[in-house]
Amino acid sequence: MRKLFESVLPFFLGAPGLLWQILFFYLPLVCIFIMSSGSFSYFYPFLNSLYARVILRSLLLAGATTGITLCMAYPTAYFLAFFAQRLKTFLLFLIILPFCTNFLLHVIAWFFVLEQHGLINTFLLNLHIINSPLQLLNNVFAVILMMVYYYLPFMVLPIYAVLEKFDYKVIEASLDLGATWYQTLARVVIPLTIPGIQAGMFLVFVPAFGEFAIPELMGGDTMMFVGTVVSYYILGSRTAHLGASFTLISVVVLIISMCTLYGITEWIRGKR
Amino acid sequence: MNRNFLFSGITFYTLMVYLFLYIPTIVLVLFSFNTVAFPAPWQGFTLHWYYELYHSPHLWHAFYVSCTVALLSMALSTIMGVFFVFYAIQGGKVEEFLLLFYGNLIIPEIVVAVGLLTFFSLCSIPLGIATLVIAHTVLGLGYVVPLLYTRFRELDYRLIEASLDLGASPLQTFFKITLPLLKPSLVAACLLIFIISFDDFVLSYFCAGSSMQTLPLYILSTARTGISPVVNALSTVLLVLSSALVLILCSLNARSRIF
């Protein structure tokens, strides 16, 4: 009896977590499917124009964000891992802090920098480089800037985690054996840190694709992205089924593009 | 020579990245002490906006809602996470189940939010604090289960075996050996979930309904109507609060490595 108790009890203790995950994560995904059924036909006429363009634009935005953050994050993580020494903990803290504060605060902070009377315009006007304030808000530039700003820590942290465990002697060995810095980076360091880059890619590309608050706040209502369209349909009174089917279509596109990106990085790793 | 060049290049680059990260925040904090509202330049030092912030009833209500939701979802997801790991320790076949929790990484938050919203409306569950807690717990589970499980796998399993050999029951072993060993990771995971739930915007935006307002939703509504220095003051307070939390997190991180 006791034996039975001890073999069954752990399962019942472990079950709620599983149940919660299935009930409130996977069942809702099925609900989207049920909700959308029958309304896919609405999208056939649009698939080659409006909605396809929205999805493409979101893919481009997510791709640009991932690319730019990668270019900014890699040298930073490299510095943190190998050169920072005593400042390391403090600099790491400065990276984690924006990751743990609400992104709306950062959006508001950038308003102060980019506005007509903001930091950049005041600075340039005072130096007489420009005569009238630049229009820096409500355009693609502002959206990408904000996305890069917000997602940068998500890219730095996983790359840093991999580089921190990296044996610096490997780099020294490569240099001693006559490889140049460029060769060492391209053939030794980057292929060995691909797992970190992949983790960062997942952490940036996936949420960036569905982002709806940043485009709306920084881009005005000039451009529609997947997130904007979905939130507009879902929160509208009679368009929930349209929102559901659009969500499904974009998830499929997202998964396909993630697999492609993953394949490309794996190919780079395999190629040395 | 070549090496020094590379070193100074990377240092300069990193400095630029940090300036990019922190200049807006510094401006934001500075202007919370300015006597006049934003478009005007710097006039003088004041704490008036903090005083006004302290006396804003809407803000306190939003803060209260956010804290309640964050604490509840933190408790729920941590308890469920710990018991799930307990099941794994007792020899449960969890590898396949574990994959279920990685779904949170591949599916964007907005899709989960849309799914939950349709789920709630299909089951006609009214939106409110309960739905917010449900949503944030899903978010928390996605972090806490993989994290705790990885740390558990890295434990010295001989300690657990020794305890079992010396006659402790599985429950005793779990509470006296495994849990104390996992404690740093557990505290770090709790803190992380609290921060994530407290700052979460997407799930709250969809699952809060019209009557509930969490702190991020409150900030959004004020930001849309035009920025008053009160928002700057609020941001400064939140920055200080999250710095404190992150400091604790960083000191724990040395032992539990969540980043």
Side-chain angles (χ1 to χ4, degrees), chain A residues 159-173:
Chain A
I159 296 178
Y160 166 77
V162 174
L163 276 174
E164 197 205 14
K165 287 183 225 138
F166 197 87
D167 193 352
Y168 198 73
K169 281 180 222 143
V170 176
I171 299 176
E172 278 170 352

Side-chain angles (χ1 to χ4, degrees), chain A residues 131-142:
Chain A
N131 294 320
S132 54
L134 296 173
Q135 176 70 37
L136 295 169
L137 277 173
N138 296 340
N139 52 27
V140 197
F141 163 75

Side-chain angles (χ1 to χ4, degrees), chain A residues 1-18, chain B residues 79-94 97 169-171 174-175:
Chain A
M1 184 62 206
R2 190 163 169 214
K3 194 119 186 149
L4 182 80
F5 178 70
E6 277 190 352
S7 64
V8 171
L9 177 75
F11 177 74
F12 279 105
L13 287 178
L18 267 179
Chain B
I79 290 172
M80 289 195 291
V82 166
F83 281 134
F84 185 77
V85 170
F86 174 68
Y87 174 52
I89 295 167
Q90 302 306 316
K93 297 264 178 295
V94 288
F97 294 140
S169 73
L171 269 180
F174 182 71
F175 283 110

